[in-house]
């Protein structure tokens, strides 16, 4: 299933938003758990995303099962 890079960049903005992090941490606190999700800085993740865009077409995983099913994961 191909994911366009603009969609990936939008998802990065949503995941790294302070509002979402606060909402998730409040939901965890309601369950009484001591775990919190740290805030992710968008500037730290952006170089990774830029490096991925330079590697378009790179095959990460390629496997074939005995029944003929093939799975190929590419950037």
């Amino acid at each position: 299933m191909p994911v366009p890079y603009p969609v990936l960049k939008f998802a990065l903005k949503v995941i790294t938003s302070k509002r979402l992090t606060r909402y998730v941490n409040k939901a965890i606190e309601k369950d009484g758990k001591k775990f919190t999700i740290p805030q992710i800085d968008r500037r730290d993740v952006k170089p990774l995303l830029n490096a991925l865009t330079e590697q378009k077409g790179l095959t990460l995983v390629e496997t074939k099962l005995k029944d003929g099913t093939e799975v190929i994961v590419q950037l």
Side-chain angles (χ1 to χ4, degrees):
M1 176 167 66
V3 177
Y5 282 101
V7 173
L8 190 60
K9 287 183 180 184
F10 177 74
L12 176 66
K13 285 182 181 183
V14 171
I15 291 171
T16 59
S17 71
K18 291 180 183 179
R19 184 179 294 170
L20 179 69
T21 304
R22 274 188 265 131
Y23 178 75
V24 169
N25 284 332
K26 283 182 182 180
I28 291 172
E29 286 176 12
K30 281 185 179 180
D31 289 340
K33 297 180 180 161
K34 304 273 181 187
F35 178 77
T36 59
I37 296 177
Q39 178 67 37
I40 300 170
D41 192 5
R42 191 174 302 139
R43 292 178 300 200
D44 295 337
V45 181
K46 196 168 185 176
L48 174 66
L49 189 60
N50 290 337
L52 288 176
T53 58
E54 293 173 3
Q55 301 296 324
K56 288 183 182 178
L58 177 69
T59 301
L60 299 175
V61 176
E62 184 174 359
T63 185
K64 186 174 182 180
L65 300 177
K66 291 179 181 177
D67 65 355
T69 305
E70 291 185 33
V71 175
I72 301 172
V73 178
Q74 293 180 327
L75 290 179

